[in-house]
Amino acid sequence: MVHHICILILFISLQRSEFHLDGDYIIGGLFSVHLAAGPVYQKRPEVSECSVYPFQLSHYRRFQMMRFSVEQINNSSHILPNVSIGYQIFDQCADAKDFPGIFDLVSVNDTVHPWWSTSQGRSNVIAVSGPFSSTFTLTTAPLLMVDLIPMVSYGVTGSVFSNKLKFPSFLRTVHPNQVTISLMVKILQHFNWRWVAFLNSADDFGRDGLDLFTKYIKGTNICLAYNKGLTEHSHFPSIFKEIEAAKITVVLVFAPEVTAENLVCSAIQHNINKKVWIADEGMTQNKRLQTDPNIHSIGTVIGVSQAIVTIPGFSDFILATKTQTLVEDDQQTLCNQICNCSGITPTAIINVDPSFALGVYSSVYAIAHALHNVLECEAGRCNTSITANPQMVFTELKKSNFTLLNYTVRFNKDGDPMFGAFSVFYWNRRGEAEELGQLDLYSSSSFTINSSKIQWFTDEVPTSLCSPECPSGFAMKQDGSHHCCFSCEKCPNGTYVNITENPYKCTRCHETEWSPAASTACIPRTVEYVQFSHGAALLTMSAMVLFDVLIVAVAALFAVHFNTPVVRSAGGPMCFLILACLCLSGLSISFNFDEPTTSFCFLRLFPFSFFYSICLSCFVVRSFQIVFIFKMASRFPKLYSFWTAYHGQWVLISAVFTLQTFLSIIAYSIGPTTPYQDMSSYEDKIILKCNYAVQATTVAVTLLVLLSLLCFVFSYMGKDLPKNYNEAQAITFCLMLLTLTWVTFITIFLLYQGKHLQTLNALAVLSSLYSFLLWYFLPKCYIILFQPEKNTPQYFQGLIQNYTKTISQ
C-alpha cells in the first residue's frame, strides 16, 4: 500500500546508503530500479512508491555502475585529485509521476527557486547521469534545461533529443535510435529480407523507432508488411495470427526489456516458430531469455546493441560492497530511495544483462572530466577557490575530449556521442549472445556479418518475401499497395529490365541496340553493308569488267565492218551511241558496294537511270523505224520523207536526253539522295542504305517504264518481219528479259531488306545491260564473224523482196 505523501523534506545523511554519497560536488543519478507494471491511476496527486513495483536487476546493475564509477574517480590521483564527488540517486519507476527527485536535484539549498530568482546559492547537483526512459526524459528534462543543468543520459536513444533548441543541455553516451535502426536495415539487406513486421513499444521510444524505420526503408526493396504498438495489455496471440496470415518470416522487435520479454515469452507459449527475430538493445542481452530452454523453438534471434565492454574492477566492487549491510530507513530519505534488494547476490548482479554499462561509466567520467577542467586541476591539485556551477560544467562537457577504455570520449554539436561501436549478436544453442560482427562507427564504415556461425531453423538462410524473385529478364508488376508484392512479366524484344535501377519497368533499348525477349541488357546492333572485298561484290564487278570488255570488242568489230548490211541494219552510227550508253550505265554497279555516302548514293541511281533511258530511246527509235519502213512508209510517204529529211530519230533521242537532264536536275534539287541507317527491318541489325527521295525515283522509274513500253509496242508490231532480219523480235525478247529481271527484283525487294539487296540491285542492272548485249548485238557479231555470206547487200535485198511478195499476196 502506498505510504506517505512525498514532498521535499530535509535530507539526513546516511553513512552507507546506496542512494547517497557526500562529496564536494554532487552528481545526480536517475535509474529505473523498479518499474510500474502499467499506468498508475490515482484519485489525488501523489507520487508512487517505486519499491512496491517489480524489481529490475539489469537496471540495478547500472545503478551500481554509477556508484562504482564515482568511487573509482574519488580514488584516482589523476582526476579531481583533491576534490571529492558524491551522488544523489533516485529510483525512477513511473514516467510521468516521479518529480520529487528532480525537484531535489534542481533545488538550491533544499528549496526550489525559479531561474529568475535572486536567491544566492547553487543547485544541489552539478550534473545528472540518466535517465533511461525517453518518456521520462521528455517530462523531466525541461526542469533541468531551464537552468542549463547538464543531463548526460546513458540510455535515452530518442532522436528528438538531438534537437538543441528544445534540449540545450542534454547530452548522451548512448547512440540515438538512428544508428540502431540503420543497423537493423543493413541486416535485412544483407540477408535479402524484404517482407517484415515491426513490433514497437507504444511509447515515445517505440514510436520514434517506427518513424525512423519507415524513413530508412524508403527507396529500398524492404516493405513494412505489419506493424503493432505493444503495451502491457496487448493481445499477443492475435498479433501472431496476423503475422502468420501475412506470411511474414522476419519480425523486428523495438521495445524496452520488459515489453520484449513479454512478447517472446508469449511466442514460446503459443508455439510460434520458424521466425527470424531481430531485436534492439532492450532484448539483445536479456540473459533470462537467452537461457530459456524453449527459446530456439521460436526460430532464430539476431540482436543489435552497442558493443559490450568489460569495465575493469566492477566485479570486485560488487563482491566487496554487497557483503556489507546497507542502511535503508524510509523515514530518513527522500521518496524512491529504497531498494528492497538485500537478497540479490553479487553473482546475479555481475551476470545480468551488461548493456549500457559503458554508457553509465562514460557519463559519470564525462561529468568528472568537465568538473576537472572547470576547477583548473593540474599538478595533482584543483583550484578550490573556484566555485563550479552546472552551467560551467555544461560548457566543459560540450568540449569533452579524453580517453576512456581505449575510446576517445567526445560529443558532436547535437550532444550525441562520437565514440563507441555496435555489435550484431546471435543467440546460439549454448544460451549465449554470440557476436557475429562489429561496426566501429568512427574508425571504419565497413559492415560485415559472419553468418556462418548462425544455425538457422531451416537448412539454409530463411527467406521473407511477399512474392518470389522474378526470373532474369522479367519486370515486376506491383500488386496492391506494397512494392514487394508483384507479378512477373517478360520483357519483350527490344526492351530490358535493370533490377538495380528500376525493376518495375521494361526499358526500351537505344535505337542502335537490340535485345531478345527476357533480357537484362541491350546488345549493340550489327552494322551491315556489302564491302568491296565481299565475294558477291567481286563476282559482280568482274562480270561488269567482262561486260565492258565485250562492249569495246563489239564496238571495234562494228567499226571495222561499219559499212556492212548487218551493222547498218542494227542501227549504223546509233549502235555506237547504244554501246556507249550501256557502258556508262554500268558505272552504277560498283557504287552499290561499300559504306554508302552521299556521292555513292547519287551514283548508284543516276548513271543507270540517265544513260539507260537514252539507250532505250535509241531502241524505241530503232523499233519505230523498222515498223515504219516495212509497214507504214508506203501508206504515209510524206511522213516518211519528213522523218528522213529532218533526221527524226536523232531529234527524238535528243528530246529524251534533254527531258531526262531537265527532270533529273529538278528532282535531285528538290529531294537529294542521302545515306541512312535502316533500323526497322531487323531487330539485331542496322542496314546501311541510301534514302532515295520520291522525286528522284519517280522521275527515273517513270521515264524508263514509258520508254520500255513504247519500245515494246513498236517492236511487237514488227514480230512478223523476216526471221533472219527481224531486229524487232530481238528487241522484244530483250525487253521481255528486262521486264522479268525487274519484276523479280521488285518481288525480292518487297520480301527482303538485308544488306544483299544492293547486290541484287547491281545484278539486276547487270542483267539489264547483258540482255541487250547478248540478244541484240552478239547475234550480229556472229554473222559478221562466222556467216559473212549473210552480210552482203544481195542477201539482205533477197530477204526484203521475199517479204514484199508475201505481203502482196
Side-chain angles (χ1 to χ4, degrees):
M1 181 176 180
V2 176
H3 297 314
H4 55 287
I5 299 175
C6 290
I7 310 173
L8 290 178
I9 60 177
L10 294 176
F11 180 81
I12 300 176
S13 175
L14 290 174
Q15 292 182 350
R16 296 167 60 194
S17 171
E18 291 189 295
F19 287 88
H20 174 76
L21 179 68
D22 286 329
D24 296 326
Y25 292 91
I26 302 298
I27 299 176
L30 298 172
F31 293 86
S32 301
V33 178
H34 298 85
L35 182 64
V40 180
Y41 299 101
Q42 297 168 324
K43 296 180 180 179
R44 59 182 180 175
E46 59 183 2
V47 176
S48 302
E49 186 175 333
C50 287
S51 60
V52 302
Y53 296 120
F55 179 75
Q56 298 194 105
L57 183 56
S58 60
H59 286 263
Y60 183 65
R61 187 185 196 275
R62 295 160 199 155
F63 172 96
Q64 294 297 335
M65 182 61 70
M66 178 176 177
R67 297 181 62 237
F68 164 72
S69 304
V70 171
E71 180 176 298
Q72 193 177 63
I73 291 169
N74 285 335
N75 291 330
S76 171
S77 59
H78 300 290
I79 180 170
L80 299 172
N82 62 326
V83 174
S84 66
I85 56 174
Y87 50 77
Q88 178 84 329
I89 303 176
F90 289 91
D91 184 5
Q92 170 261 314
C93 59
D95 286 340
K97 296 185 181 294
D98 293 336
F99 287 96
I102 298 298
F103 287 139
D104 181 79
L105 295 177
V106 301
S107 64
V108 177
N109 297 327
D110 300 324
T111 304
V112 177
H113 292 278
W115 64 270
W116 60 84
S117 172
T118 57
S119 173
Q120 299 298 316
R122 59 185 173 87
S123 168
N124 285 347
V125 298
I126 57 168
V128 176
S129 176
F132 183 80
S133 163
S134 293
T135 302
F136 184 70
T137 306
L138 285 171
T139 58
T140 60
L143 298 173
L144 297 169
M145 302 295 111
V146 168
D147 285 334
L148 292 181
I149 297 176
M151 176 182 277
V152 186
S153 175
Y154 56 86
V156 173
T157 57
S159 57
V160 67
F161 299 105
S162 297
N163 186 340
K164 294 300 103 180
L165 293 177
K166 293 183 178 180
F167 304 96
S169 59
F170 179 90
L171 302 95
R172 52 185 159 193
T173 54
V174 62
H175 289 279
N177 287 335
Q178 289 93 323
V179 179
T180 303
I181 294 298
S182 65
L183 195 54
M184 285 181 162
V185 172
K186 286 180 184 291
I187 293 173
L188 294 177
Q189 293 175 324
H190 178 82
F191 292 107
N192 196 30
W193 291 325
R194 304 179 184 179
W195 192 240
V196 301
F198 192 92
L199 303 181
N200 58 283
S201 55
D203 56 12
D204 298 288
F205 168 76
R207 285 187 289 270
D208 182 55
L210 176 61
D211 291 342
L212 289 170
F213 182 75
T214 305
K215 174 184 175 182
Y216 284 7
I217 63 174
K218 283 184 179 178
T220 70
N221 55 8
I222 301 170
C223 290
L224 179 57
Y226 179 80
N227 163 248
K228 191 70 173 181
L230 305 179
T231 68
E232 65 279 2
H233 301 298
S234 293
H235 188 250
F236 293 119
S238 62
I239 294 175
F240 297 142
K241 185 176 181 180
E242 291 170 347
I243 291 175
E244 289 291 342
K247 299 180 180 179
I248 300 170
T249 305
V250 177
V251 180
L252 284 79
V253 180
F254 196 82
E257 180 181 356
V258 174
T259 306
E261 192 169 296
N262 293 336
L263 172 70
V264 174
C265 289
S266 180
I268 296 173
Q269 180 183 353
H270 292 90
N271 195 29
I272 303 302
N273 52 31
K274 296 183 179 179
K275 300 292 180 201
V276 175
W277 304 81
I278 301 179
D280 75 326
E281 201 150 10
M283 173 179 163
T284 298
Q285 300 298 333
N286 190 309
K287 301 295 185 181
R288 194 179 78 80
L289 288 179
Q290 290 172 17
T291 55
D292 190 304
N294 298 313
I295 188 62
H296 295 289
S297 66
I298 66 172
T300 303
V301 180
I302 297 174
V304 299
S305 74
Q306 297 195 62
I308 302 303
V309 178
T310 300
I311 309 299
F314 177 68
S315 296
D316 295 335
F317 170 80
I318 295 297
L319 291 171
T321 57
K322 294 307 291 181
T323 60
Q324 303 173 11
T325 302
L326 299 174
V327 179
E328 291 182 351
D329 186 351
D330 62 348
Q331 300 300 317
Q332 295 178 319
T333 61
L334 290 173
C335 285
N336 299 331
Q337 288 191 312
I338 301 174
C339 182
N340 288 341
C341 53
S342 57
I344 305 300
T345 64
T347 303
I349 298 173
I350 294 171
N351 294 332
V352 78
D353 178 3
S355 59
F356 299 100
L358 179 62
V360 177
Y361 190 67
S362 57
S363 70
V364 175
Y365 263 89
I367 295 170
H369 273 277
L371 180 61
H372 182 92
N373 294 334
V374 170
L375 298 179
E376 300 175 355
C377 300
E378 58 182 13
R381 293 195 61 81
C382 296
N383 187 353
T384 55
S385 63
I386 299 175
T387 301
N389 61 50
Q391 293 76 22
M392 298 165 68
V393 173
F394 172 58
T395 301
E396 292 299 326
L397 265 172
K398 292 189 294 183
K399 299 185 290 185
S400 295
N401 191 350
F402 62 93
T403 301
L404 184 68
L405 301 180
N406 296 323
Y407 289 107
T408 300
V409 178
R410 293 181 299 158
F411 300 96
N412 62 19
K413 62 181 179 61
D414 296 324
D416 297 331
M418 297 179 65
F419 63 94
F422 258 78
S423 296
V424 179
F425 295 91
Y426 155 66
W427 289 6
N428 61 30
R429 301 287 177 177
R430 299 185 301 275
E432 302 170 342
E434 184 176 358
E435 187 173 303
L436 300 179
Q438 190 175 96
L439 173 64
D440 193 322
L441 300 175
Y442 300 99
S443 65
S444 173
S445 59
S446 61
F447 171 70
T448 57
I449 298 178
N450 185 5
S451 54
S452 62
K453 295 182 179 180
I454 303 176
Q455 290 181 273
W456 303 103
F457 55 84
T458 59
D459 295 334
E460 55 186 12
V461 179
T463 60
S464 188
L465 304 170
C466 178
S467 300
E469 296 283 353
C470 287
S472 177
F474 284 68
M476 297 184 292
K477 182 180 180 182
Q478 184 171 330
D479 295 335
S481 59
H482 289 290
H483 64 265
C484 295
C485 303
F486 49 82
S487 56
C488 299
E489 291 186 348
K490 182 189 290 188
C491 288
N493 296 345
T495 65
Y496 70 100
V497 60
N498 188 333
I499 60 174
T500 58
E501 291 183 1
N502 189 352
Y504 297 91
K505 179 182 179 183
C506 292
T507 305
R508 184 158 296 281
C509 293
H510 189 268
E511 61 179 4
T512 59
E513 299 174 327
W514 77 286
S515 67
S519 294
T520 58
C522 292
I523 306 170
R525 286 185 174 188
T526 304
V527 179
E528 292 192 350
Y529 58 90
V530 180
Q531 298 178 332
F532 282 126
S533 58
H534 193 276
L538 293 175
L539 185 63
T540 303
M541 289 188 290
S542 297
M544 185 61 219
V545 171
L546 177 62
F547 177 80
D548 291 337
V549 171
L550 292 175
I551 286 291
V552 172
V554 170
L557 184 63
F558 274 37
V560 172
H561 300 86
F562 181 74
N563 293 318
T564 61
V566 170
V567 175
R568 303 296 292 182
S569 65
M574 193 179 294
C575 291
F576 297 102
L577 177 60
I578 295 173
L579 292 172
C581 288
L582 290 176
C583 186
L584 292 173
S585 296
L587 292 175
S588 295
I589 293 176
S590 59
F591 294 106
N592 280 276
F593 307 109
D594 210 46
E595 183 176 355
T597 62
T598 301
S599 56
F600 266 47
C601 289
F602 174 76
L603 294 173
R604 281 184 183 183
L605 179 63
F606 178 75
F608 177 73
S609 63
F610 185 83
F611 292 107
Y612 204 75
S613 62
I614 297 174
C615 177
L616 286 177
S617 67
C618 292
F619 282 109
V620 169
V621 169
R622 187 65 193 138
S623 301
F624 176 75
Q625 283 183 316
I626 293 171
V627 174
F628 192 77
I629 291 172
F630 283 94
K631 294 189 175 184
M632 300 176 63
S634 58
R635 300 179 184 179
F636 306 101
K638 292 184 178 180
L639 181 59
Y640 178 74
S641 301
F642 181 85
W643 175 270
T644 305
Y646 291 97
H647 305 285
Q649 67 273 24
W650 296 110
V651 173
L652 182 60
I653 294 171
S654 299
V656 171
F657 176 82
T658 303
L659 178 62
Q660 179 73 316
T661 302
F662 178 73
L663 293 177
S664 297
I665 292 173
I666 294 176
Y668 286 107
S669 298
I670 297 174
T673 301
T674 56
Y676 88 104
Q677 298 178 334
D678 179 9
M679 299 183 181
S680 59
S681 298
Y682 297 93
E683 292 181 343
D684 58 339
K685 301 176 184 178
I686 298 177
I687 309 298
L688 300 187
K689 295 181 177 181
C690 292
N691 183 25
Y692 294 108
V694 176
Q695 297 89 338
T697 53
T698 301
V699 168
V701 172
T702 301
L703 192 57
L704 287 172
V705 170
L706 180 61
L707 291 173
S708 298
L709 183 61
L710 287 174
C711 187
F712 181 80
V713 169
F714 290 132
S715 62
Y716 186 79
M717 291 173 63
K719 67 181 184 300
D720 56 347
L721 293 177
K723 181 177 180 181
N724 291 335
Y725 182 74
N726 196 346
E727 307 292 336
Q729 286 184 352
I731 294 173
T732 301
F733 185 73
C734 291
L735 289 174
M736 290 178 65
L737 290 178
L738 180 66
T739 302
L740 179 63
T741 296
W742 287 103
V743 168
T744 303
F745 174 76
I746 291 172
T747 302
I748 296 173
F749 176 82
L750 296 175
L751 301 175
Y752 172 74
Q753 289 295 319
K755 68 176 183 178
H756 291 292
L757 188 65
Q758 292 305 127
T759 303
L760 296 175
N761 182 72
L763 291 174
V765 171
L766 193 63
S767 175
S768 302
L769 301 180
Y770 265 104
S771 62
F772 283 109
L773 176 65
L774 295 177
W775 304 109
Y776 185 80
F777 286 103
L778 287 188
K780 295 171 175 46
C781 293
Y782 180 82
I783 293 174
I784 293 173
L785 294 175
F786 301 106
Q787 293 180 338
E789 67 279 5
K790 294 182 179 181
N791 191 17
T792 60
Q794 295 80 3
Y795 181 78
F796 273 80
Q797 189 66 34
L799 293 175
I800 294 172
Q801 290 176 355
N802 291 334
Y803 176 74
T804 304
K805 291 179 181 179
T806 303
I807 293 298
S808 60
Q809 294 175 357

